[in-house]
């Protein structure tokens, strides 16, 4: 047990926790303000499902392209500054995407926003793990829960703007300014000093584990085994992103086009997903302590697969909203768990596992939109959304690398 476990967090550490929570909130809210506007943008640009899928894939493409540079920027400028700078530029990219008058401009703006979002994502998680090490216990799920609150807030803001007839430009400009100010205020209260001032990642591994069993992700490992476990963690995190992308890119379209829901009601699919995801993350730490991350992940995967599978088998508006909610709840802990486990993998430099998982999991966001779009054009969007049950199967297969219940 480390000294960090024995002392109470200092006031500066508590303020830093709130500041990181604000950064996660703004990150979730910014992009969620754009998502319910996608059907309008798609209609204004006059594009089909396949072209739309390729266009929205520009966001994860930007993240993939820029993601590995995040570590360099964090080491040079500090995680807090990179997170805030990325937030400001993400807001600008989202505003440009909302005002785009061509597919090329729309995709280009999303590419920029995705690249900046990748910087913010890695930086805010790195700073959150710094704060976690100061606390001496796991708090990373709470940050991701705050992200879900931000996403619900952003989606609700957009739904309200649509219902009130507010044009995209003023709506997205207001969103960008409000959350930019919030991020800049949060910067004041982030942890000062170099990124290594709280010790190496994994230093408090015993206290964060929540179980006594030795799992494959924590056992002494050869380089080959570490790579195998890292690959499994990437697949688990990617499964979470596949489900999130289904909500972000397709929930509103599926409800409005296939099930003929009103524009305001169609936005409830994504809001239900991230709202249930928030609930899953709020209770996630307690569930993991009691049952172990492995059981929680696999049970959640089953809930997501069965819930969304039933919604697709019997398509109704209420059933589909509940299906997206089940999917969000089921995958709630996947990305935080994969990031935390990867950050403690043996044989890797501190922060390397986190950066690799954060970077590679975005392949789900990159590949899912065009794949679902192509399937939707060839068959139907209902068939394309089978990606959600498929993601649940991935976690059921790969979940063995996660921690088991306390022995």
């Amino acid at each position: 047990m480390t000294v960090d476990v024995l002392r109470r967090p200092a006031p500066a550490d508590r303020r830093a926790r709130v500041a990181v929570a604000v950064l996660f909130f703004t990150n979730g809210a910014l992009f969620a303000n754009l998502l319910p506007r996608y059907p309008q943008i798609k209609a204004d640009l006059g594009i089909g499902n396949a072209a739309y899928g390729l266009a929205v894939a520009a966001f994860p493409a930007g993240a993939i392209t820029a993601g590995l540079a995040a570590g360099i920027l964090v080491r040079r400028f500090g995680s807090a500054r990179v997170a805030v700078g990325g937030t400001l530029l993400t807001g600008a990219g989202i505003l440009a995407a909302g005002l785009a008058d061509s597919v090329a401009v729309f995709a280009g703006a999303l590419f920029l926003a995705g690249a900046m979002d990748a910087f913010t994502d890695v930086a805010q998680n790195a700073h959150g793990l710094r704060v976690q090490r100061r606390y001496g216990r796991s708090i990373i799920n709470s940050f991701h829960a705050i992200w879900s609150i931000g996403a619900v807030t952003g989606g609700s803001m957009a739904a309200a703007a649509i219902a009130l007839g507010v044009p995209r430009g003023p709506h997205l400009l207001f969103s960008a300014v409000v959350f930019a100010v919030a991020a800049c205020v949060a910067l004041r209260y982030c942890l000062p000093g170099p990124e290594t001032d709280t010790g190496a990642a994994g230093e408090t591994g015993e206290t964060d584990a929540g179980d006594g069993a030795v799992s494959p992700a924590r056992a002494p490992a050869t380089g080959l085994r570490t790579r195998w476990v890292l690959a499994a963690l990437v697949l688990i995190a990617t499964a979470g992103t596949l489900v999130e992308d289904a909500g972000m890119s397709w929930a509103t379209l599926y409800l409005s086009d296939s099930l003929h829901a009103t524009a305001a009601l169609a936005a409830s699919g994504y809001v239900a997903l991230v709202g249930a995801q928030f609930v899953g993350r709020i209770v996630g730490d307690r569930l993991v302590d009691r049952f172990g991350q492995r059981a929680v992940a696999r049970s959640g995967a089953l809930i997501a697969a069965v819930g969304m599978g039933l919604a697709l088998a019997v398509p109704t508006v209420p059933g589909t909203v509940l299906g997206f909610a089940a999917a969000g709840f089921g995958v709630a802990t996947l990305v935080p768990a994969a990031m935390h486990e990867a950050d403690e993998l043996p044989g890797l430099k501190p922060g390397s596992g986190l950066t690799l998982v954060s970077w590679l999991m975005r392949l789900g966001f990159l590949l899912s939109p065009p794949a679902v779009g192509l399937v939707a054009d060839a068959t139907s969007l209902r068939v394309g959304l089978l990606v959600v049950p498929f993601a649940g199967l991935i976690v059921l297969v790969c979940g063995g690398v996660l921690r088991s219940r306390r022995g």
Side-chain angles (χ1 to χ4, degrees):
M1 184 176 293
T2 66
V3 175
D4 287 336
V5 179
L6 301 177
R7 64 176 179 86
R8 293 175 62 84
D13 299 334
R14 291 195 292 270
R15 288 194 294 269
R17 181 176 182 177
V18 174
V20 174
V22 170
L23 294 178
F24 271 83
F25 179 89
T26 59
N27 184 247
L30 270 174
F31 194 47
N33 267 277
L34 177 65
L35 296 176
R37 295 289 193 170
Y38 273 178
Q40 296 174 337
I41 295 172
K42 179 175 179 287
D44 289 347
L45 297 178
I47 55 178
N49 286 325
Y52 166 79
L54 288 171
V56 297
F59 187 91
I64 289 287
T65 302
L68 287 181
I72 299 172
L73 293 175
V74 165
R75 287 191 292 272
R76 182 177 178 88
F77 299 107
S79 55
R81 290 179 180 176
V82 173
V84 173
T87 297
L88 302 183
L89 293 174
T90 298
I94 288 171
L95 175 61
L99 297 176
D101 57 1
S102 70
V103 177
V105 174
F106 177 58
L110 286 180
F111 185 92
L112 169 65
M116 298 304 103
D117 181 74
F119 295 157
T120 301
D121 185 42
V122 172
Q124 70 186 8
N125 274 285
H127 208 78
L129 288 172
R130 283 187 66 190
V131 176
Q132 176 172 278
R133 288 192 287 272
R134 295 283 190 101
Y135 269 68
R137 57 185 171 86
S138 178
I139 58 173
I140 193 68
N141 272 312
S142 68
F143 292 135
H144 286 262
I146 295 297
W147 184 95
S148 296
I149 294 178
V152 170
T153 301
S156 300
M157 287 171 62
I162 293 170
L164 294 172
V166 179
R168 289 197 299 270
H171 160 221
L172 294 175
L173 177 61
F174 174 80
S175 168
V177 171
V178 166
F179 296 122
V181 171
C184 289
V185 172
L187 178 61
R188 252 190 103 171
Y189 301 100
C190 288
L191 295 175
E195 296 303 303
T196 57
D197 68 347
T198 56
E203 190 174 77
T204 59
E206 289 184 57
T207 63
D208 291 341
D211 63 85
V214 177
S215 70
R218 292 175 182 269
T222 63
L224 179 61
R225 186 169 181 79
T226 296
R227 287 193 292 271
W228 181 87
V229 172
L230 182 62
L233 293 174
V234 168
L235 287 174
I236 290 170
T238 300
T241 66
L242 289 175
V243 175
E244 289 183 21
D245 179 73
M248 286 192 290
S249 299
W250 301 105
T252 304
L253 280 176
Y254 179 64
L255 284 162
S256 62
D257 292 356
S258 300
L259 302 184
H260 310 295
T262 64
L265 182 58
S268 64
Y270 175 67
V271 172
L273 185 144
V274 293
Q277 189 179 58
F278 161 73
V279 173
R281 285 171 173 172
I282 283 292
V283 302
D285 287 325
R286 289 193 292 267
L287 291 175
V288 168
D289 286 342
R290 182 167 183 178
F291 301 108
Q293 183 63 68
R294 186 184 306 167
V296 171
R298 283 177 164 168
S299 299
L302 190 61
I303 291 172
V306 173
M308 196 63 194
L310 289 174
L312 294 173
V314 186
T316 64
V317 171
T320 299
V321 172
L322 289 175
F324 278 111
F329 182 84
V331 304
T333 64
L334 295 185
V335 171
M339 286 183 168
H340 182 223
E341 295 281 0
D343 202 46
E344 296 187 350
L345 274 176
L348 296 177
K349 295 179 180 179
S352 296
L354 169 64
T355 300
L356 286 170
V357 166
S358 179
W359 182 60
L360 291 173
M361 77 176 186
R362 290 177 179 271
L363 287 173
F365 287 120
L366 177 64
L367 300 177
S368 178
V372 173
L374 289 170
V375 172
D377 278 350
T379 55
S380 69
L381 184 51
R382 181 180 167 193
V383 175
L385 286 174
L386 287 172
V387 68
V388 176
F390 174 71
L393 294 178
I394 292 176
V395 178
L396 288 173
V397 172
C398 298
V401 302
L402 297 172
R403 293 168 287 162
S404 61
R405 183 166 62 94
R406 180 187 294 273

